[in-house]
């Protein structure tokens, strides 16, 4: 599977690593990519929010640090620089503010552990990736933090790696079902054309035009009355990016049954799903059963981070 992951990564210039939960194996995936790329690629690396600390600030559990090879380009907040044990070459002060100081772009002049606290706004992430390329990077990696905001990284990345695991929930069935739902949302097809901006209510717009561009979140509460009334049948809904889709599996199924097209203005593709069968909270899943069921639930390669990347 190492070769397959490397092949997938080489098909895209920008990659987002999205975690379903803390301790899903996201840092293990990132470290494997960084170690594997050191032979022939210069990587640019940033994060949505903070990452790289040795103890998880949410769960209090030990976690692997982010280890970068010499030559890696980094975008991180100024206050994080003192916590990085690499030799640093400051390249750019971006002017992007964070709670931990301005985002600085630097080059690692030695191998070592780093901590990241990057931009949280899509336009800023796009800008940082472009600066990486201008500075000679071959690929840009965005390390997604916990929460739905990391789904927005899909809007700035061509490829996404979705990381999930036993730490998400004690029930394997729930982990698989919720991961499959997020996978489904992340792979909403790209809209070839965009509807005009709504000037009236969603219901009136659908009745008059049969399609609508949704500016904010798309929720069950918003859609269920429209599904019951029949106004949505055969219609088209376009969202800005998948982070705006807050729909349950049941509602997604109902849209499909009523021939409703759900599309997104921003598109990427999920390269693979990684699984961690061991929870940070003391339980674990049968790794073979977990692998088999996840393979049935998604249509991309599934990688066990404990066995194949650790």
């Amino acid at each position: 599977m190492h070769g397959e992951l490397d092949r997938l990564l080489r098909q895209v210039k920008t990659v987002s690593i999205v975690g379903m939960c803390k301790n899903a194996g996201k840092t293990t995936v990132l470290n494997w990519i960084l170690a594997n790329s050191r032979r022939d690629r210069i990587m640019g690396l940033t994060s949505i929010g903070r990452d790289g600390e040795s103890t998880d600030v949410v769960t209090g559990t030990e976690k692997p640090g982010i280890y970068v090879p010499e030559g890696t380009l980094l975008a991180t907040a100024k206050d994080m620089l003192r916590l990085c044990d690499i030799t640093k070459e400051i390249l750019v002060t971006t002017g992007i503010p964070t709670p931990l100081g301005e985002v600085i772009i630097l080059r690692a002049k030695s191998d070592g552990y780093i901590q990241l606290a990057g931009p949280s706004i899509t336009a800023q992430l796009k800008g940082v990736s472009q600066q990486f390329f201008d500075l000679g990077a071959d690929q840009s990696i965005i390390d997604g933090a916990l929460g739905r905001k990391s789904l927005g990284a899909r809007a700035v990345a061509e490829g996404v790696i979705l990381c999930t695991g036993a730490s998400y929930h004690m029930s394997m069935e729930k982990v698989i079902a919720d991961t499959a739902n997020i996978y489904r949302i992340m792979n909403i097809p790209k809209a070839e054309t965009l509807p005009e901006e709504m000037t009236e209510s969603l219901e009136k717009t659908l009745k008059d035009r049969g399609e609508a561009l949704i500016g904010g979140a798309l929720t069950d509460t918003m859609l269920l009355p429209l599904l019951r009334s029949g106004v949505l049948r055969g219609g088209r809904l376009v969202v800005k990016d998948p982070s705006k889709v807050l729909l349950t599996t049941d509602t997604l199924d109902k849209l499909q049954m009523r021939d409703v097209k759900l599309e997104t203005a921003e598109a990427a593709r999920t390269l693979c799903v990684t699984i961690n069968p061991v929870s940070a909270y003391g339980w674990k899943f049968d790794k073979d059963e977990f692998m088999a069921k996840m393979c049935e639930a998604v249509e991309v390669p599934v990688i066990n981070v404990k066995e194949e990347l650790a």
Side-chain angles (χ1 to χ4, degrees), residues 33-174:
I33 293 172
L34 292 168
N36 189 63
S37 67
R38 69 182 302 153
R39 292 173 289 117
D40 61 354
R41 276 175 289 173
I42 297 172
M43 309 299 281
L45 176 61
T46 192
S47 173
I48 301 177
R50 183 179 177 182
D51 207 355
E53 64 274 14
S54 59
T55 301
D56 193 293
V57 294
V58 174
T59 65
T61 54
E62 292 296 314
K63 57 176 288 188
I66 298 172
Y67 191 83
V68 301
E70 179 183 355
T72 304
L73 298 173
L74 308 169
T76 191
K78 186 176 181 181
D79 288 358
M80 294 293 97
L81 298 183
R82 60 185 175 82
L83 301 176
C84 302
D85 67 8
I86 55 170
T87 303
K88 312 167 193 68
E89 178 187 3
I90 305 296
L91 301 175
V92 177
T93 55
T94 66
I96 298 171
T98 78
L100 293 167
E102 180 184 3
V103 174
I104 307 294
I105 297 180
L106 60 140
R107 179 181 284 111
K109 301 295 286 183
S110 64
D111 296 0
Y113 287 98
I114 56 98
Q115 292 201 24
L116 295 174
S120 60
I121 299 173
T122 297
Q124 294 172 344
L125 287 163
K126 286 183 176 180
V128 165
S129 285
Q130 186 55 55
Q131 286 180 297
F132 285 153
F133 297 134
D134 292 345
L135 292 166
D138 299 301
Q139 196 165 43
S140 174
I141 306 290
I142 299 165
D143 184 26
L146 181 67
R148 290 198 64 91
K149 183 162 55 175
S150 64
L151 267 181
R154 182 184 188 270
V156 295
E158 299 169 77
V160 177
I161 297 174
L162 179 60
C163 305
T164 189
S167 290
Y168 180 78
H169 198 274
M170 291 183 71
S171 165
M172 183 191 297
E173 286 67 30
K174 181 170 177 58

Side-chain angles (χ1 to χ4, degrees), residues 136 155 194 252 295:
L194 297 181
L252 287 170
C295 286

Side-chain angles (χ1 to χ4, degrees), residues 26 48 62 68 73 92 113 122 127 144 171 188 202 219 230 258-259 284 288 296:
K26 185 164 55 68
I48 301 177
E62 292 296 314
V68 301
L73 298 173
V92 177
Y113 287 98
T122 297
S171 165
I188 292 168
L202 177 57
T219 65
R258 289 161 175 79
D259 298 319
K284 62 182 179 180
D288 296 326
E296 291 178 0

Side-chain angles (χ1 to χ4, degrees), residues 174-230:
K174 181 170 177 58
V175 174
I176 292 168
D178 287 3
T179 301
N181 187 57
I182 292 295
Y183 166 82
R184 188 174 175 183
I185 289 170
M186 289 173 66
N187 288 278
I188 292 168
K190 180 177 174 61
E192 293 185 6
T193 60
L194 297 181
E196 295 179 12
E197 293 281 350
M198 282 192 298
T199 56
E200 299 175 294
S201 70
L202 177 57
E203 183 174 11
K204 180 88 165 55
T205 301
L206 288 167
K207 282 180 179 178
D208 292 346
R209 306 179 195 169
E211 62 180 12
L213 179 63
I214 310 298
L218 190 63
T219 65
D220 286 4
T221 303
M222 181 190 301
L223 292 191
L224 289 177
L226 300 177
L227 284 167
R228 286 192 289 267
S229 71

